[in-house]
PDB file of all heavy atoms in Angstrom:
ATOM      1  N   ARG A 149     -23.538  -5.481 -17.091  1.00 96.00           N
ATOM      2  CA  ARG A 149     -23.025  -6.700 -17.722  1.00 96.00           C
ATOM      3  C   ARG A 149     -21.867  -7.275 -16.908  1.00 96.00           C
ATOM      4  O   ARG A 149     -21.786  -8.497 -16.691  1.00 96.00           O
ATOM      5  CB  ARG A 149     -22.556  -6.383 -19.142  1.00 96.00           C
ATOM      6  CG  ARG A 149     -21.817  -7.550 -19.817  1.00 96.00           C
ATOM      7  CD  ARG A 149     -21.257  -7.141 -21.169  1.00 96.00           C
ATOM      8  NE  ARG A 149     -20.351  -6.008 -21.078  1.00 96.00           N
ATOM      9  CZ  ARG A 149     -19.079  -6.088 -20.708  1.00 96.00           C
ATOM     10  NH1 ARG A 149     -18.560  -7.260 -20.355  1.00 96.00           N
ATOM     11  NH2 ARG A 149     -18.324  -5.013 -20.663  1.00 96.00           N
ATOM     12  N   ILE A 150     -20.966  -6.408 -16.436  1.00 96.00           N
ATOM     13  CA  ILE A 150     -19.819  -6.883 -15.659  1.00 96.00           C
ATOM     14  C   ILE A 150     -20.285  -7.537 -14.368  1.00 96.00           C
ATOM     15  O   ILE A 150     -19.798  -8.609 -13.983  1.00 96.00           O
ATOM     16  CB  ILE A 150     -18.856  -5.711 -15.375  1.00 96.00           C
ATOM     17  CG1 ILE A 150     -18.240  -5.196 -16.679  1.00 96.00           C
ATOM     18  CG2 ILE A 150     -17.756  -6.130 -14.404  1.00 96.00           C
ATOM     19  CD1 ILE A 150     -17.416  -3.934 -16.519  1.00 96.00           C
ATOM     20  N   ARG A 151     -21.243  -6.921 -13.694  1.00 96.00           N
ATOM     21  CA  ARG A 151     -21.733  -7.493 -12.444  1.00 96.00           C
ATOM     22  C   ARG A 151     -22.433  -8.829 -12.683  1.00 96.00           C
ATOM     23  O   ARG A 151     -22.288  -9.772 -11.894  1.00 96.00           O
ATOM     24  CB  ARG A 151     -22.686  -6.524 -11.747  1.00 96.00           C
ATOM     25  CG  ARG A 151     -23.117  -7.017 -10.372  1.00 96.00           C
ATOM     26  CD  ARG A 151     -23.869  -5.989  -9.593  1.00 96.00           C
ATOM     27  NE  ARG A 151     -25.106  -5.602 -10.243  1.00 96.00           N
ATOM     28  CZ  ARG A 151     -25.974  -4.733  -9.719  1.00 96.00           C
ATOM     29  NH1 ARG A 151     -25.694  -4.154  -8.563  1.00 96.00           N
ATOM     30  NH2 ARG A 151     -27.088  -4.428 -10.345  1.00 96.00           N
ATOM     31  N   ASP A 152     -23.160  -8.913 -13.778  1.00 96.00           N
ATOM     32  CA  ASP A 152     -23.823 -10.183 -14.095  1.00 96.00           C
ATOM     33  C   ASP A 152     -22.783 -11.268 -14.359  1.00 96.00           C
ATOM     34  O   ASP A 152     -22.943 -12.415 -13.914  1.00 96.00           O
ATOM     35  CB  ASP A 152     -24.720  -9.999 -15.318  1.00 96.00           C
ATOM     36  CG  ASP A 152     -25.421 -11.286 -15.705  1.00 96.00           C
ATOM     37  OD1 ASP A 152     -26.267 -11.752 -14.932  1.00 96.00           O
ATOM     38  OD2 ASP A 152     -25.097 -11.838 -16.785  1.00 96.00           O
ATOM     39  N   GLU A 153     -21.712 -10.927 -15.053  1.00 96.00           N
ATOM     40  CA  GLU A 153     -20.655 -11.905 -15.314  1.00 96.00           C
ATOM     41  C   GLU A 153     -19.958 -12.312 -14.018  1.00 96.00           C
ATOM     42  O   GLU A 153     -19.578 -13.480 -13.850  1.00 96.00           O
ATOM     43  CB  GLU A 153     -19.650 -11.327 -16.304  1.00 96.00           C
ATOM     44  CG  GLU A 153     -20.205 -11.154 -17.716  1.00 96.00           C
ATOM     45  CD  GLU A 153     -19.189 -10.531 -18.654  1.00 96.00           C
ATOM     46  OE1 GLU A 153     -18.104 -10.133 -18.176  1.00 96.00           O
ATOM     47  OE2 GLU A 153     -19.482 -10.431 -19.862  1.00 96.00           O
ATOM     48  N   LEU A 154     -19.776 -11.366 -13.099  1.00 96.00           N
ATOM     49  CA  LEU A 154     -19.164 -11.701 -11.818  1.00 96.00           C
ATOM     50  C   LEU A 154     -20.062 -12.643 -11.011  1.00 96.00           C
ATOM     51  O   LEU A 154     -19.584 -13.608 -10.404  1.00 96.00           O
ATOM     52  CB  LEU A 154     -18.904 -10.420 -11.019  1.00 96.00           C
ATOM     53  CG  LEU A 154     -17.750  -9.533 -11.504  1.00 96.00           C
ATOM     54  CD1 LEU A 154     -17.817  -8.167 -10.844  1.00 96.00           C
ATOM     55  CD2 LEU A 154     -16.410 -10.190 -11.218  1.00 96.00           C
ATOM     56  N   GLN A 155     -21.348 -12.387 -11.010  1.00 94.00           N
ATOM     57  CA  GLN A 155     -22.276 -13.204 -10.233  1.00 94.00           C
ATOM     58  C   GLN A 155     -22.445 -14.601 -10.813  1.00 94.00           C
ATOM     59  O   GLN A 155     -22.691 -15.558 -10.072  1.00 94.00           O
ATOM     60  CB  GLN A 155     -23.632 -12.504 -10.145  1.00 94.00           C
ATOM     61  CG  GLN A 155     -23.593 -11.243  -9.283  1.00 94.00           C
ATOM     62  CD  GLN A 155     -24.905 -10.489  -9.336  1.00 94.00           C
ATOM     63  OE1 GLN A 155     -25.652 -10.567 -10.315  1.00 94.00           O
ATOM     64  NE2 GLN A 155     -25.188  -9.733  -8.280  1.00 94.00           N
ATOM     65  N   GLY A 157     -20.047 -16.155 -12.624  1.00 94.00           N
ATOM     66  CA  GLY A 157     -18.760 -16.820 -12.792  1.00 94.00           C
ATOM     67  C   GLY A 157     -18.194 -16.761 -14.190  1.00 94.00           C
ATOM     68  O   GLY A 157     -17.271 -17.510 -14.514  1.00 94.00           O
ATOM     69  N   ARG A 158     -18.705 -15.867 -15.042  1.00 95.00           N
ATOM     70  CA  ARG A 158     -18.227 -15.786 -16.421  1.00 95.00           C
ATOM     71  C   ARG A 158     -17.218 -14.657 -16.630  1.00 95.00           C
ATOM     72  O   ARG A 158     -16.704 -14.490 -17.733  1.00 95.00           O
ATOM     73  CB  ARG A 158     -19.412 -15.569 -17.370  1.00 95.00           C
ATOM     74  CG  ARG A 158     -20.382 -16.746 -17.406  1.00 95.00           C
ATOM     75  CD  ARG A 158     -21.532 -16.517 -18.379  1.00 95.00           C
ATOM     76  NE  ARG A 158     -22.443 -15.492 -17.897  1.00 95.00           N
ATOM     77  CZ  ARG A 158     -22.612 -14.304 -18.461  1.00 95.00           C
ATOM     78  NH1 ARG A 158     -21.889 -13.972 -19.515  1.00 95.00           N
ATOM     79  NH2 ARG A 158     -23.467 -13.429 -17.963  1.00 95.00           N
ATOM     80  N   TYR A 159     -16.922 -13.891 -15.602  1.00 96.00           N
ATOM     81  CA  TYR A 159     -16.048 -12.737 -15.772  1.00 96.00           C
ATOM     82  C   TYR A 159     -14.600 -13.173 -15.940  1.00 96.00           C
ATOM     83  O   TYR A 159     -14.108 -14.048 -15.227  1.00 96.00           O
ATOM     84  CB  TYR A 159     -16.158 -11.802 -14.571  1.00 96.00           C
ATOM     85  CG  TYR A 159     -15.310 -10.558 -14.717  1.00 96.00           C
ATOM     86  CD1 TYR A 159     -15.701  -9.518 -15.545  1.00 96.00           C
ATOM     87  CD2 TYR A 159     -14.097 -10.436 -14.033  1.00 96.00           C
ATOM     88  CE1 TYR A 159     -14.922  -8.385 -15.692  1.00 96.00           C
ATOM     89  CE2 TYR A 159     -13.313  -9.304 -14.170  1.00 96.00           C
ATOM     90  CZ  TYR A 159     -13.726  -8.291 -15.005  1.00 96.00           C
ATOM     91  OH  TYR A 159     -12.946  -7.169 -15.159  1.00 96.00           O
TER      92      TYR A 159
END
Side-chain angles (χ1 to χ4, degrees):
R149 172 185 58 80
I150 294 173
R151 186 171 62 178
D152 179 67
E153 291 178 354
L154 287 167
Q155 291 174 333
R158 295 181 290 113
Y159 182 76

